[in-house]
Amino acid sequence: MISKQKKAILLLADGTEFAGYSFGAEGTAIGEVVFSTSMVGYQEALTDPCYYGQLLMQTFPSIGNYGINTDQESDRTHVKGYIVREWCEMPSNFRCEGNLDAFMKQNHVIGLFGIDTRSLTRKLREEGTMNGMITTEPLEKQKALEKIRAYRIENAVESVSCQEKKYFPAENAKYEVAVYDFGCRRSTIAELQKRGCNVTLLPCNTPAETVAAMHPDGILFSNGPGNPAENGTIIENIRAVSALQIPMFAIGLGHQLYALAQGGRTEKLHAGHRGASQPVIDCQGTRTYPTSQNHGYTVVPDSIPSQIGSMSYKNVNDGSCEGMRYADGTCTVQFQPEFCGGPMDTSFMFDEFISRFQN
């Protein structure tokens, strides 16, 4: 079967080439090459706004064996390209509605398979994430390298955020929650709805005055893509929103932006944390949780004065900040307590958030 496949290549910014075969859409895609260690949840990953501007590689060798269904984290794909060791042509699952190849063609995602993904993983783990290009077209290496090295992920939050307010009612609703959409996943909204919260999804640049006029019970700053420090206007707005003294919760990019709004600092991780089994420990106790994560930046906890906030969770592997707790009671976390396809051990974070609402 492989002999009939169109050839494709991955070219990294340092000149390294990985030759394989094309699946999904054909053409050329440039992005930041990252890897995820998750064994399942590939459809959720392809539609997760956090992967905007990136070429995603799965370390698990066989992808697509349960096919495609309705389990999406948004209404479209966000990855620039997709890299796997092998993809399953004949998936088997009672919910299966199609295969991965057809889904990627339909959504214009350029794919590469048949390369040594273990070798690529080791390279990224040891040398750090780097830009790359997947192409099925004739390659002029030097010109391609110039484009690859010049690539930057820009306007990431604005590109994935909703453009107008959206309302998601809950059955037996008791609360109203405003969610800033920095790249919000459907599973975030679903977790709030399950707890009796009507959700109003807001564009990323919604002014604090607009939120105040809504009189919500709580405000959530969602996950999202890109370098948090490049969102100066949004950070200033979060500072104004935090002055409203409404219970708040922040996830992922929202956690990073909230820290920046409090005067903190963020820095880029060497290879990032992407996968469904990242161990996180509670700094106030001895409990360790398996968590789903998807981020390339981290908050520097010492950059925030102790009287304002302190680290509440940290990554067991590298000690990086996985959560902050602030003097006003606001809790923010780097990991994803609600990601469909990952562990749900930390979904209690939503209960803690709601417990702060005024009855």
Side-chain angles (χ1 to χ4, degrees), residues 312-332:
S312 56
Y313 295 92
K314 68 177 179 179
N315 190 288
V316 175
N317 291 334
D318 62 11
S320 62
C321 178
E322 294 283 1
M324 293 290 297
R325 193 171 296 277
Y326 294 89
D328 64 359
T330 298
C331 179
T332 71

Side-chain angles (χ1 to χ4, degrees), residues 107-127:
N107 289 278
H108 312 292
V109 177
I110 296 172
L112 170 70
F113 79 100
I115 70 166
D116 185 348
T117 51
R118 290 190 300 177
S119 176
L120 178 55
T121 301
R122 284 195 298 268
K123 186 174 184 64
L124 297 176
R125 187 183 60 203
E126 294 168 6
E127 300 180 27

Side-chain angles (χ1 to χ4, degrees), residues 81-103:
Y82 199 44
I83 305 166
V84 301
R85 173 60 181 168
E86 61 181 45
W87 65 275
C88 179
E89 291 185 80
M90 294 181 288
S92 177
N93 186 276
F94 73 100
R95 297 182 61 218
C96 178
E97 298 177 2
N99 68 35
L100 181 60
D101 178 61
F103 178 78

Side-chain angles (χ1 to χ4, degrees), residues 291-307:
T291 66
S292 177
Q293 300 193 16
N294 179 5
H295 63 103
Y297 292 83
T298 185
V299 171
V300 180
D302 293 342
S303 65
I304 299 176
S306 58
Q307 67 270 23

Side-chain angles (χ1 to χ4, degrees), residues 220-238:
L220 186 146
F221 301 106
S222 83
N223 210 338
N227 182 348
E230 294 179 352
N231 298 280
T233 302
I234 293 174
I235 293 167
E236 286 297 322
N237 192 48
I238 290 177

